Amino acid sequence: MKKSYDVLIVGIGGQGTILASNVLGDACVIEGRHVRGAETHGMSQRGGSVETHIRIDGKFGSLIAPGSADLLIAFDMLEAVRYRHFLKDGGTMIVNREMIVPTSVFSAKLPVPQLDDVAVELKSGSAKVVLMNATDIAAKAGSPLAANIVLLGAASHELPLSVASLEEAVRRNVPQKTIAINEQAFALGREAL
Amino acid sequence: MAEERKKQYLLGNAAIAHACLEAGVDFVSGYPGTPSSEVVDTLRGVKDPWYYLEWSVNEKVAFENAIGASWCGCRSIVTMKHVGLNVAADPLMTSAYTGVKGGFVVLSADDPFAHSSQNEQDSRMYAKFAQIPCLDPKDVQQAHDMMTAAWNISEKFSLPVLFRPTTRICHSKSDVALGEETPSPRKGEFVRDPKQYVVIPAHTRPLHAILTKKQAEVAKYLVEAGYNSATVRGERAVIAGGISAAYVEEILPEDISLITIGAYPIDADWLAEVVGKHTEVLVVEELMPVVEEAVRQVAGTVTVHGKLDGYLPHEGEFSTALVAKALLKAGYLKEDPFPPEKQPTAVAVRPPILCPGCLHRSVFYAMKKVFKDGVFPSDIGCYTLGLQMGAVDTTICMGASITVGSGIAHSCPETDVVSTIGDSTFLHTGVNGLINAVYNNTNQTVIILDNRITAMTGHQPNPNTGMTATGVESPKISLEELARACGVSFVESVDPYDLTDLLETLKAAKEKPGVKVIIAKQPCVIMNKRNGVKRSRYVVDAERCNKCGACIRYGCPALEIDENGAAVTTALCTGCGVCADICPAGAIHRGGARQ
């Protein structure tokens, strides 16, 4: 049965979930390990909810079964709520303390969710929950767009991959001129935990 | 050997594209469609390629281009999504008769669960229908390896080979062992042979007999080549087709046999022999029961479980968790390897929506204003998302908005019919519908949503872009002249950001009988962003905002309601300014300067 370490990365189209998953995939290749990943394409790029599965040491299918992910990395608190049933009992979630309210809330006149309420909701389960201001940390590193790499830095304490291979994978995946910013983002994210 | 090759973490479609390079492909054509698009997109990104490559206007055109290349001895591939194969079905059926010269691969990507599709049809049925081999990989590595071999199979039997990855192959990533690129040494040459390439009835009849004769040889070869194989280790077996094999392998107990089907047609003698070594088998395959029906034909007294007796669903995508449930039901697993499913927490939906500043939003808004009781047939593209604005009443397939609109207009003469269609879709199969609508005196307004790109599938150029797939400038088609050439006398171009003009043009169209064509022109906002086009943001004057909600109802993601109930624009604003025209209080204006 399962010997893989399963990570679900979730967010909103355009937030860099695929780049983050590529970092994990390349880190596996650097270490000579198998990896499987599944990503959302097509319609979900239009501001939709996006999920990316990465199975470190995975040799079979690329989809993580609900209730069996080891780690959930969320770029948005509401998306963390949406996908947390994928996490195994006692799993870890690392969540950016940010929330983009879906347009559907305003058009359907639903109550607008509040950050603090969502934080309480997230902590109500069995998961170890880490909430961090990844966007602020990324801004300190040089660009708020590097929030995805900040979250990976924080996740590096949990991931069964060496820091060196993660750092190398970051360098391979970000645009050339932003390498320094992203290295800094990774380091600050790692320190924040 | 695979372990010694260079490994990369690659998207399934990128691995498939690399296999094309390894096989020395000469000719690439296709029409974009999720999940197939990245194969051509990867190949068109290759610097100084040795092969010819194009995005064609539709799948039939792409197919016929590629078969022509194959008849010149070149290795060719045509790519599309499953529903695109319907468009290319006409040449597909006959190309099996004519056969090929250079290897010819037809990639048709299936989409179980219809992640981004209008149906869940199974391309394997087309292979069976056309009597051509079909390769159905179980994972990204096998997709790469099968693709490398596909041209050899095609040349060996002089048949097109259908390659059928699914969404979960195309859009999965994996560590993949790659081979070396092999630039093609071939030079195309067409050798005249009417008996082969001119399918008049006298030629067709013997060609059909030859095609039939090939079937058994192909089936035998696919077993010899290892695409269909069996590991016998117990009384009971699971037979898995395509990607399902990967799901089964993860959880299958060691005392259960595994038979994997990676290619079609399945050799009936071989199948009868391996099935006959068991007392009971469970067939696991996505979508149609293609393998299961073959198994049931040879099973004799062996018990067969699968879709036809309700062990597995006909619909949707499989997963290891779903397969585990079927294995449990059959008694092949003693306990579920996965935890019981928890109920997901209800959260406000976040469906894909039209981008902030998208031209389609203002067109749909204006359409609904002017044609309050109209019927709105639409088509396949980003603008199908206009459904959320109540501006899309029908969608069936590419190019069907004007044609369905014609049917409705002739049936309900009192109703205003307003059909919407994108530029790429119009050129794909929409233009035929326009010709027909004019020829048959239809009353309808056709709005061509002209964003100058095939946006939905990842921004591939089309004849309206003025650039080929490889970035070479080409004559930009004039949609206005094309519409006039079809016989339309009312042809107007509008800027959809100019709401007043848009509304006036729609009203003018409403007053006139016959077919009216309105071309709404603004570049796709994503392309604008990539091209560095910047417009200053619009802002809401909090003192003037009377909280009426008119702008919120417009549905732009860049508009929100703040804690006081007033509207605000966010950083998502792209400065189209349509909301400023909508606001009855005049509270929205370009950032900084009040208008």
Side-chain angles (χ1 to χ4, degrees), chain B residues 96-334:
Chain B
Y97 283 50
T98 63
V100 307
K101 199 165 167 198
F104 176 41
V105 179
V106 181
L107 183 149
S108 174
D110 280 1
D111 189 15
F113 189 62
H115 290 274
S116 55
S117 304
Q118 57 268 47
N119 71 28
E120 294 185 288
Q121 69 184 59
D122 190 326
S123 292
R124 293 178 300 167
M125 297 301 277
Y126 263 119
K128 193 176 175 184
F129 194 8
Q131 294 180 274
I132 60 171
C134 171
L135 303 177
D136 186 15
K138 68 170 184 176
D139 58 24
V140 172
Q141 182 71 58
Q142 195 181 41
H144 166 274
D145 298 348
M146 274 183 170
M147 188 52 127
T148 320
W151 278 276
N152 295 332
I153 299 172
S154 172
E155 284 160 10
K156 185 175 171 67
F157 297 102
S158 181
L159 283 174
V161 169
L162 186 81
F163 186 78
R164 180 242 192 186
T166 56
T167 299
R168 211 50 79 182
I169 299 275
C170 294
H171 289 171
S172 273
K173 283 200 174 118
S174 153
D175 51 310
V176 197
L178 303 174
E180 295 296 323
E181 291 178 18
T182 316
S184 166
R186 286 172 290 274
K187 200 163 174 278
E189 188 195 2
F190 184 80
V191 180
R192 202 169 271 123
D193 186 1
K195 283 201 170 84
Q196 197 74 37
Y197 302 131
V198 183
V199 281
I200 56 168
H203 296 166
T204 290
R205 290 171 200 131
L207 288 174
H208 192 184
I210 294 166
L211 176 61
T212 307
K213 195 161 168 277
K214 287 177 185 175
Q215 301 304 308
E217 301 166 41
V218 174
K220 286 218 160 26
Y221 173 80
L222 295 174
V223 175
E224 285 162 20
Y227 296 121
N228 297 331
S229 63
T231 310
V232 178
R233 51 194 185 188
E235 290 272 291
R236 296 178 296 176
V238 172
I239 307 181
I243 195 169
S244 300
Y247 301 145
V248 172
E249 282 172 358
E250 181 163 355
I251 50 171
L252 194 67
E254 284 182 2
D255 60 344
I256 311 268
S257 301
L258 177 63
I259 301 166
T260 53
I261 305 296
Y264 304 81
I266 307 167
D267 182 22
D269 293 340
W270 168 80
L271 191 65
E273 193 197 327
V274 293
V275 168
K277 289 177 179 165
H278 302 88
T279 55
E280 187 186 314
V281 296
L282 171 71
V283 185
V284 183
E285 64 191 311
E286 288 178 330
L287 302 181
M288 301 289 283
V290 178
V291 175
E292 186 175 342
E293 281 172 0
V295 170
R296 285 183 186 275
Q297 281 189 358
V298 299
T301 56
V302 179
T303 306
V304 182
H305 296 307
K307 292 173 189 290
L308 298 172
D309 60 351
Y311 276 64
L312 285 147
H314 284 73
E315 312 81 21
E317 183 176 33
F318 286 6
S319 64
T320 312
L322 182 142
V323 170
K325 299 271 185 297
L327 291 178
L328 272 172
K329 187 172 179 184
Y332 291 18
L333 275 179
K334 287 188 183 61

Side-chain angles (χ1 to χ4, degrees), chain A residues 5 70-77 80-81 84 87 90-98 118-135 137 147 150-159 188-193:
Chain A
Y5 182 90
D70 297 278
L71 176 66
L72 173 70
I73 299 175
F75 295 175
D76 181 279
M77 303 230 320
V81 176
R84 67 173 169 168
L87 209 54
T92 301
M93 61 168 98
I94 298 176
V95 184
N96 191 10
R97 207 182 149 79
E98 284 275 326
V118 179
V120 170
E121 169 82 33
L122 279 177
K123 287 177 179 165
S124 66
S126 69
K128 177 182 157 194
V129 179
V130 179
L131 291 177
M132 62 190 301
N133 295 314
T135 310
I137 297 171
V150 172
L151 290 166
L152 286 185
S156 64
H157 297 284
E158 301 276 339
L159 293 164
L188 290 179
R190 191 170 159 79
E191 280 168 26
L193 220 69

Side-chain angles (χ1 to χ4, degrees), chain B residues 307-527:
Chain B
K307 292 173 189 290
L308 298 172
D309 60 351
Y311 276 64
L312 285 147
H314 284 73
E315 312 81 21
E317 183 176 33
F318 286 6
S319 64
T320 312
L322 182 142
V323 170
K325 299 271 185 297
L327 291 178
L328 272 172
K329 187 172 179 184
Y332 291 18
L333 275 179
K334 287 188 183 61
E335 59 184 46
D336 196 332
F338 299 106
E341 276 199 38
K342 295 178 208 156
Q343 278 302 311
T345 317
V347 186
V349 292
R350 200 190 297 274
I353 44 175
L354 295 171
C355 299
C358 176
L359 80 104
H360 307 330
R361 182 177 284 104
S362 70
V363 171
F364 287 139
Y365 176 85
M367 223 169 85
K368 297 244 323 168
K369 281 253 173 228
V370 175
F371 297 90
K372 281 196 180 63
D373 303 314
V375 174
F376 308 130
S378 191
D379 225 298
I380 307 285
C382 295
Y383 47 91
T384 317
L385 297 170
L387 175 67
Q388 294 156 5
M389 297 177 73
V392 170
D393 291 331
T394 72
T395 307
I396 51 168
C397 64
M398 293 285 289
S401 57
I402 306 174
T403 40
V404 166
S406 297
I408 294 172
H410 286 300
S411 310
C412 316
E414 304 302 314
T415 309
D416 284 320
V417 175
V418 187
S419 309
T420 47
I421 185 165
D423 52 329
S424 189
T425 309
F426 178 70
L427 296 169
H428 176 278
T429 36
V431 65
N432 312 62
L434 184 63
I435 294 168
N436 185 69
V438 176
Y439 174 59
N440 290 299
N441 299 311
T442 312
N443 287 312
Q444 71 170 313
T445 301
V446 173
I447 306 179
I448 303 179
L449 300 159
D450 177 9
N451 63 4
R452 283 158 239 181
I453 205 84
T454 314
M456 185 86 223
T457 46
H459 300 92
Q460 293 82 10
N462 65 53
N464 191 38
T465 311
M467 193 183 78
T468 69
T470 49
V472 177
E473 270 189 51
S474 61
K476 195 176 153 186
I477 195 149
S478 163
L479 295 176
E480 289 84 354
E481 285 180 40
L482 184 56
R484 286 195 186 97
C486 294
V488 183
S489 52
F490 184 107
V491 180
E492 294 286 340
S493 291
V494 291
D495 173 1
Y497 289 171
D498 184 343
L499 196 58
T500 315
D501 188 38
L502 178 59
L503 288 165
E504 289 308 315
T505 311
L506 287 170
K507 281 177 198 158
K510 194 180 179 189
E511 297 309 314
K512 288 202 162 55
V515 178
K516 291 85 57 174
V517 170
I518 296 170
I519 303 162
K521 287 174 176 287
Q522 267 295 339
C524 167
V525 284
I526 298 177
M527 288 311 286

Side-chain angles (χ1 to χ4, degrees), chain A residues 1 12 22 26 34-37 39 41 43 46 49 55 60 62-63 67 79 82 84 87 89 100 102 104, chain B residues 9 38 168 171-175 246 250-251 338-339 342 344-345 348-350 352-353 455-456 557 560-561:
Chain A
M1 233 321 262
I12 300 159
N22 285 349
D26 273 342
H34 288 296
V35 58
R36 297 289 180 267
E39 47 192 56
H41 282 237
M43 289 187 124
R46 306 289 184 268
S49 168
R55 308 188 69 191
F60 304 104
S62 56
L63 291 175
E79 295 314 303
R82 195 188 308 281
R84 67 173 169 168
L87 209 54
D89 280 338
I100 296 178
S104 66
Chain B
Y9 185 61
E38 296 85 2
R168 211 50 79 182
H171 289 171
S172 273
K173 283 200 174 118
S174 153
D175 51 310
E250 181 163 355
I251 50 171
F338 299 106
K342 295 178 208 156
T345 317
V349 292
R350 200 190 297 274
I353 44 175
M456 185 86 223
E560 291 188 355
I561 300 172

Side-chain angles (χ1 to χ4, degrees), chain A residues 6-187:
Chain A
D6 294 344
V7 186
L8 195 70
I9 305 182
V10 302
I12 300 159
Q15 286 184 329
T17 49
I18 288 181
L19 189 137
S21 74
N22 285 349
V23 170
L24 298 188
D26 273 342
C28 292
V29 171
I30 290 166
E31 295 189 4
R33 295 159 71 168
H34 288 296
V35 58
R36 297 289 180 267
E39 47 192 56
T40 325
H41 282 237
M43 289 187 124
S44 306
Q45 290 171 344
R46 306 289 184 268
S49 168
V50 169
E51 54 176 302
T52 301
H53 301 226
I54 305 108
R55 308 188 69 191
I56 299 167
D57 297 329
K59 289 182 189 168
F60 304 104
S62 56
L63 291 175
I64 299 169
S68 66
D70 297 278
L71 176 66
L72 173 70
I73 299 175
F75 295 175
D76 181 279
M77 303 230 320
L78 282 180
E79 295 314 303
V81 176
R82 195 188 308 281
Y83 289 101
R84 67 173 169 168
H85 64 286
F86 270 87
L87 209 54
K88 69 179 186 189
D89 280 338
T92 301
M93 61 168 98
I94 298 176
V95 184
N96 191 10
R97 207 182 149 79
E98 284 275 326
M99 198 165 67
I100 296 178
V101 179
T103 306
S104 66
V105 169
F106 299 112
S107 48
K109 297 186 180 160
L110 299 171
V112 177
Q114 301 299 316
L115 269 181
D116 292 340
D117 297 343
V118 179
V120 170
E121 169 82 33
L122 279 177
K123 287 177 179 165
S124 66
S126 69
K128 177 182 157 194
V129 179
V130 179
L131 291 177
M132 62 190 301
N133 295 314
T135 310
D136 294 346
I137 297 171
K140 270 180 216 146
S143 167
L145 295 176
N148 55 352
I149 304 299
V150 172
L151 290 166
L152 286 185
S156 64
H157 297 284
E158 301 276 339
L159 293 164
L161 291 159
S162 81
V163 173
S165 35
L166 283 168
E167 287 171 339
E168 173 57 21
V170 168
R171 283 190 285 272
R172 286 187 190 183
N173 280 283
V174 302
Q176 189 76 26
K177 60 183 179 198
T178 66
I179 287 178
I181 291 171
N182 282 289
E183 283 177 330
Q184 179 73 358
F186 186 87

